[in-house]
Amino acid sequence: MKKNDKRFRDFLSHVDKSLYFEIRRQIIERCEISFSCYYKWRDGASTPNANRKSYINGIAVKFGYDAVYPNSPIFELEPSILVNHA
């Protein structure tokens, strides 16, 4: 995977603090990844594959942000994905 991709980190740096943990939880659950993998993406050590980029785009758009990966499709998420399961 490509290294030093800053798009995911840039997206997370603009996320409202009140939404950060919910967005992180949904990315981890939807992409079926570990916390370690999430932090590797955040730190630019690796990048998500095409399907996971689509999920990340869908989550970003549902929370009112621009697509993180503009050249990837935006996965349409069902409204229930936005329910906080805390």
Side-chain angles (χ1 to χ4, degrees), residues 36-58:
S36 175
C37 181
Y38 173 86
Y39 290 116
K40 285 180 182 178
W41 292 352
R42 186 198 66 188
D43 296 339
S46 65
T47 58
N49 66 25
N51 287 338
R52 289 175 172 155
K53 286 179 181 178
S54 178
Y55 288 132
I56 293 167
N57 281 344

Side-chain angles (χ1 to χ4, degrees), residues 11 57 59 68 82 85:
F11 161 65
N57 281 344
I59 292 167
V68 179
L82 296 177
H85 299 288

Side-chain angles (χ1 to χ4, degrees), residues 26 30 55 58-60 62 75-82:
Q26 290 188 26
R30 177 60 68 168
Y55 288 132
I59 292 167
K62 286 293 183 181
F75 185 81
E76 298 280 334
L77 298 172
E78 63 278 2
S80 64
I81 193 72
L82 296 177

Side-chain angles (χ1 to χ4, degrees), residues 3-68:
K3 292 185 179 184
N4 298 322
D5 185 343
K6 298 178 183 175
R7 293 176 288 183
F8 190 64
R9 179 178 28 198
D10 290 344
F11 161 65
L12 293 175
S13 71
H14 290 97
V15 167
D16 186 81
K17 290 182 182 194
S18 66
L19 298 175
Y20 176 81
F21 293 108
E22 181 62 17
I23 290 174
R24 180 184 69 181
R25 183 189 65 77
Q26 290 188 26
I27 289 171
I28 289 170
E29 285 181 9
R30 177 60 68 168
C31 294
E32 298 179 344
I33 60 168
S34 65
F35 279 97
S36 175
C37 181
Y38 173 86
Y39 290 116
K40 285 180 182 178
W41 292 352
R42 186 198 66 188
D43 296 339
S46 65
T47 58
N49 66 25
N51 287 338
R52 289 175 172 155
K53 286 179 181 178
S54 178
Y55 288 132
I56 293 167
N57 281 344
I59 292 167
V61 168
K62 286 293 183 181
F63 278 92
Y65 295 96
D66 292 333
V68 179

